[in-house]
Amino acid sequence: MIIALINWRVKIGSEKDFLNKWKNELSLDGAAGLIGEFLSKVEDSDFHEGITWEMEPDEKDNRNDWAAADYTSYVNVGMWTSVDSFMRAVGNYMVAGRSIKEAFEAAPRRRAILTPEHWRIGHDRLPGETSDGVSP
């Protein structure tokens, strides 16, 4: 199993455009190996005093390539049975390096692949169906 993280940095005021694209056009319907995919808005330290990790620029971000300095961060978390499944479904849409591909992006998106070392299964379960308004 792998977990794929994609950090989207969306121009302030373009959140609706981004959410519409994610919900309706970035469908993974029928993608072999997809366990689940979750899009979440990143909250800052004002949300709770315990938050210590914010999605800030790093040394690989070239601010000259940015479309806007202000943005709303979202993180897409995808759980896949294998890296091969993920790459077959999504890999051909990924470009090397960091570049802006969509008009709503304030900065190039960032990606990470996590390989779980250990896990715990809780008593509660993941949602059993796709959210309302989201294409499968």
Side-chain angles (χ1 to χ4, degrees):
M1 179 172 82
I2 62 133
I3 299 167
L5 302 179
I6 302 172
N7 175 212
W8 298 84
R9 294 174 286 182
V10 177
K11 293 178 193 174
I12 300 294
S14 296
E15 293 89 349
K16 260 184 146 170
D17 294 337
F18 165 67
L19 293 171
N20 185 54
K21 175 134 185 156
W22 191 92
K23 291 188 321 184
N24 298 304
E25 296 179 35
L26 299 180
S27 173
L28 293 170
D29 190 23
L34 176 65
I35 297 167
E37 183 177 44
F38 310 89
L39 180 68
S40 302
K41 181 179 171 232
V42 177
E43 302 293 352
D44 62 19
S45 57
D46 291 338
F47 185 78
H48 187 276
E49 64 188 23
I51 293 176
T52 60
W53 181 24
E54 295 183 28
M55 301 299 195
E56 297 303 325
D58 63 23
E59 68 281 353
K60 292 184 180 177
D61 278 310
N62 181 350
R63 291 281 191 139
N64 295 327
D65 296 336
W66 286 38
D70 293 326
Y71 57 87
T72 302
S73 276
Y74 293 88
V75 173
N76 189 100
V77 178
M79 297 172 65
W80 295 82
T81 57
S82 68
V83 71
D84 290 336
S85 295
F86 171 74
M87 293 309 288
R88 276 194 301 276
V90 179
N92 58 337
Y93 300 107
M94 295 170 41
V95 296
R98 298 181 183 198
S99 62
I100 291 177
K101 291 177 60 178
E102 302 287 346
F104 53 71
E105 290 183 275
R109 67 193 81 152
R110 297 180 285 188
R111 300 178 199 91
I113 300 291
L114 309 178
T115 305
E117 294 286 327
H118 303 283
W119 53 87
R120 289 186 178 91
I121 303 299
H123 297 287
D124 292 324
R125 297 290 174 230
L126 294 170
E129 57 189 48
T130 298
S131 298
D132 287 341
V134 176
S135 296

